[in-house]
Amino acid sequence: PSVEVRTAVRIGRQASEGIIEAVAEIGADLVIFGWGGPPRNEARRAVFSTTIDEVAREAPCDIAVVKQRGLGVVESILGPVRGGPNAELAVSLATDLARGFRAELVVLHVVPPGGGLEAIERERTALAALVKRAARGVSVRDLVVEAPTVRGAILAEAANHQLVVVGASAQPTGLGSGRRLFGRLAETVASRAKATVMVVRTRQPVTPHTFVDLRADEASLPAADEAIEAGQSLPSIVDRWFAENTFHASEFRNLRSLVELKERNGLTVSVGLPTLNEEKTIGLVIRRIRDALMDRVPLVDELLVIDSASTDRTVEIARELGVPVRQHDEILPELGSYPGKGEALWKSLYELRGDIVVWVDTDIRNIQPRFVYGLLGPLLREPRIQYVKGFYHRPLKSGGAWQPEEGGRVTELTARPLINLFFPQLSGVIQPLAGEYAGRRELLESVPFFTGYAVEFGLLVDVMDRVGLSGIGQVDLERRIHRNQSLIDLSRMSFVILKAAITKLEERQQIELLTEMGETMKQIRVEETRFSLDIREVGDEIRPPMSSIPAYRARRAELRS
């Protein structure tokens, strides 16, 4: 009786578009869907339904999906807690529902078997603190159980309750799959539990470890977090990071909301465009970014081309479009100059003014504004995230036809094996060599830069050492079409990245793996029926953190004054 109910009718081609528009118009905080369950005798193309999935991707508010199985008297509500960005919303809604139904709330946490009594007691203490915080006049009971699978434990316990409220795990089962919206666990619980199930997915910024944050005061968080993480295996840490720190560009398409976040936090955004003979694409890249993110909404404050001595019309086109151009060998000339993209990016930090710096490659043929706002979204919405990498589908053109998912050959054949072997914490990063990434200035100026091909690899390793895995995010930018390089060029790139990995291992382990690494690479060249050796000098120098350069510190002080 105390709840006001209003109705609205819309006409549109797609239900999801009408719902998203209504959410924006009335400023809704939560959208609740009823779900009839998976279709029978039909291939699954959506997690819940096309409409629900589309709204979950686009709506700038919280989402709840209810699988109704008849709800009479509700005496007990189950709230499984696994941590992650949706746990806080799940606990909040479960508590309010328990109050409304005058029901008991059981908060469940599942631990793997074999951890011992000490590990179980540690989890029970943490869960008890969460329960105490969540109680707010509601009867809440904590429950820690050992089980080989989280899914099995939740389904077994759900049989004892009338309502289950579970946060979406957001654990993807494959790239390009809509399942990344809710995760396999939440979907399975909603499909198989005998009780009514509510799956919730938040759009609000939350801390990296919500389970930790809810159970203790701010001052005790680091120790509590360390205690929990100490009991996790590396695969579970990477899986958790993948679930919590992987985003989709569409989550951030509400550009005015991003502008509001930027202005509220007093931040400025710079976009740097490294170029070397990109006359075919530089004009499109500039227009797409400037028109959508500077002219229509003031999301980007500065756009700068950092050129590396292009011999085509790249510089002329950029200047005709009103974008300033700097040659990287003319920046900080007293420090000399090296060829390579990494050198251009390092020197661009001196020229760019923004608190957040975004770098976008300029050979992209299908450039869209999402390549920028997708990278900015996590940095503006999630204060914990310091560095964001893009990832995408990368088709390869071969024989006049596009081959899906055949691009990124150096990534799959060199970078990913190296990372899995020697830097396994980063094994969840989908495209470690992606040329589209963004970071906070305080971080970028504090790490060294390789001057050439290895810049992306080196930054990723050094950023992890600096801010930890939880400070790194990755964003699905959907699809990227660009100029593919020859096998000879890719071989040189692999050589440089392998050398960079060895360098980083030596730095981190304080050991010498190779007494002398060659600067030259001998490549086999085939000319008709004849083989020959092509000797190339290949290698990256390392630039120190920009914050260690006196001229840079002086410039930053001047800009602040």
Side-chain angles (χ1 to χ4, degrees), residues 263-380:
E263 293 175 347
R264 185 190 309 159
N265 291 288
L267 298 172
T268 54
V269 173
S270 293
V271 174
L273 303 175
T275 57
L276 175 59
N277 296 329
E278 307 295 355
E279 66 177 5
K280 293 181 179 179
T281 50
I282 183 62
L284 178 65
V285 171
I286 289 172
R287 286 192 295 270
R288 286 275 169 84
I289 295 174
R290 185 187 60 193
D291 293 354
L293 306 179
M294 299 181 79
D295 295 345
R296 294 179 190 172
V297 296
L299 183 60
V300 172
D301 301 288
E302 179 184 27
L303 189 60
L304 176 69
V305 168
I306 311 97
D307 189 60
S308 298
S310 291
T311 57
D312 64 2
R313 295 186 65 251
T314 297
V315 171
E316 183 181 345
I317 291 170
R319 286 176 174 158
E320 286 175 353
L321 291 171
V323 175
V325 179
R326 289 299 312 272
Q327 294 295 332
H328 86 243
D329 61 357
E330 296 175 359
I331 302 171
L332 296 171
E334 68 274 16
L335 300 179
S337 186
Y338 297 102
K341 176 185 175 183
E343 175 81 348
L345 299 184
W346 183 72
K347 286 191 170 182
S348 75
L349 283 175
Y350 180 85
E351 292 291 332
L352 296 170
R353 302 186 176 201
D355 303 303
I356 295 175
V357 175
V358 182
W359 286 304
V360 177
D361 280 349
T362 50
D363 63 342
I364 306 173
R365 299 177 185 176
N366 67 322
I367 185 73
Q368 295 293 334
R370 66 173 178 270
F371 279 70
V372 174
Y373 70 68
L375 296 169
L376 285 172
L379 292 166
L380 293 173

Side-chain angles (χ1 to χ4, degrees), residues 414-436:
T414 302
R416 191 175 300 288
L418 284 171
I419 285 172
N420 276 273
L421 282 170
F422 302 116
F423 309 95
Q425 303 96 316
L426 294 168
S427 58
V429 178
I430 294 172
Q431 281 167 354
L433 305 185
E436 289 68 51

Side-chain angles (χ1 to χ4, degrees), residues 104-391:
E104 179 187 47
L105 172 60
V106 176
V107 179
L108 170 70
H109 184 55
V110 183
V111 297
L117 293 176
E118 183 177 343
I120 294 176
E121 191 56 37
R122 182 172 64 238
E123 297 294 328
R124 183 171 286 116
T125 300
L127 190 60
L130 166 65
V131 166
K132 185 177 180 180
R133 286 282 297 272
R136 304 201 309 268
V138 173
S139 174
V140 185
R141 176 165 59 91
D142 61 274
L143 179 62
V144 176
V145 300
E146 280 188 312
T149 67
V150 175
R151 176 180 61 186
I154 294 175
L155 290 173
E157 180 60 30
N160 303 319
H161 307 269
Q162 292 80 46
L163 177 62
V164 179
V165 183
V166 59
S169 61
Q171 175 65 56
T173 59
L175 287 180
S177 168
R179 294 181 189 278
R180 69 165 52 91
L181 295 172
F182 297 94
R184 179 179 291 175
L185 175 69
E187 179 191 1
T188 302
V189 171
S191 298
R192 299 185 184 179
K194 302 301 182 184
T196 291
V197 178
M198 175 182 286
V199 179
V200 301
R201 188 171 188 268
T202 186
R203 287 296 188 198
Q204 301 303 317
V206 294
T207 51
H209 304 299
T210 304
F211 178 76
V212 176
D213 292 346
L214 290 174
R215 71 185 178 202
D217 293 330
E218 187 83 19
S220 63
L221 283 180
D225 189 47
E226 183 179 352
I228 289 294
E229 292 296 333
Q232 292 185 342
S233 65
L234 181 59
S236 66
I237 291 172
V238 173
D239 287 349
R240 179 172 174 176
W241 172 84
F242 196 106
E244 295 177 358
N245 284 32
T246 299
F247 307 89
H248 192 283
S250 63
E251 298 179 42
F252 311 106
R253 66 185 304 172
N254 187 334
L255 301 183
R256 299 201 178 277
S257 175
L258 293 184
V259 172
E260 182 181 339
L261 283 171
K262 185 191 80 163
E263 293 175 347
R264 185 190 309 159
N265 291 288
L267 298 172
T268 54
V269 173
S270 293
V271 174
L273 303 175
T275 57
L276 175 59
N277 296 329
E278 307 295 355
E279 66 177 5
K280 293 181 179 179
T281 50
I282 183 62
L284 178 65
V285 171
I286 289 172
R287 286 192 295 270
R288 286 275 169 84
I289 295 174
R290 185 187 60 193
D291 293 354
L293 306 179
M294 299 181 79
D295 295 345
R296 294 179 190 172
V297 296
L299 183 60
V300 172
D301 301 288
E302 179 184 27
L303 189 60
L304 176 69
V305 168
I306 311 97
D307 189 60
S308 298
S310 291
T311 57
D312 64 2
R313 295 186 65 251
T314 297
V315 171
E316 183 181 345
I317 291 170
R319 286 176 174 158
E320 286 175 353
L321 291 171
V323 175
V325 179
R326 289 299 312 272
Q327 294 295 332
H328 86 243
D329 61 357
E330 296 175 359
I331 302 171
L332 296 171
E334 68 274 16
L335 300 179
S337 186
Y338 297 102
K341 176 185 175 183
E343 175 81 348
L345 299 184
W346 183 72
K347 286 191 170 182
S348 75
L349 283 175
Y350 180 85
E351 292 291 332
L352 296 170
R353 302 186 176 201
D355 303 303
I356 295 175
V357 175
V358 182
W359 286 304
V360 177
D361 280 349
T362 50
D363 63 342
I364 306 173
R365 299 177 185 176
N366 67 322
I367 185 73
Q368 295 293 334
R370 66 173 178 270
F371 279 70
V372 174
Y373 70 68
L375 296 169
L376 285 172
L379 292 166
L380 293 173
R381 199 180 74 180
E382 310 275 357
R384 63 189 170 87
I385 292 181
Q386 305 294 306
Y387 184 74
V388 179
K389 291 285 293 186
F391 68 91

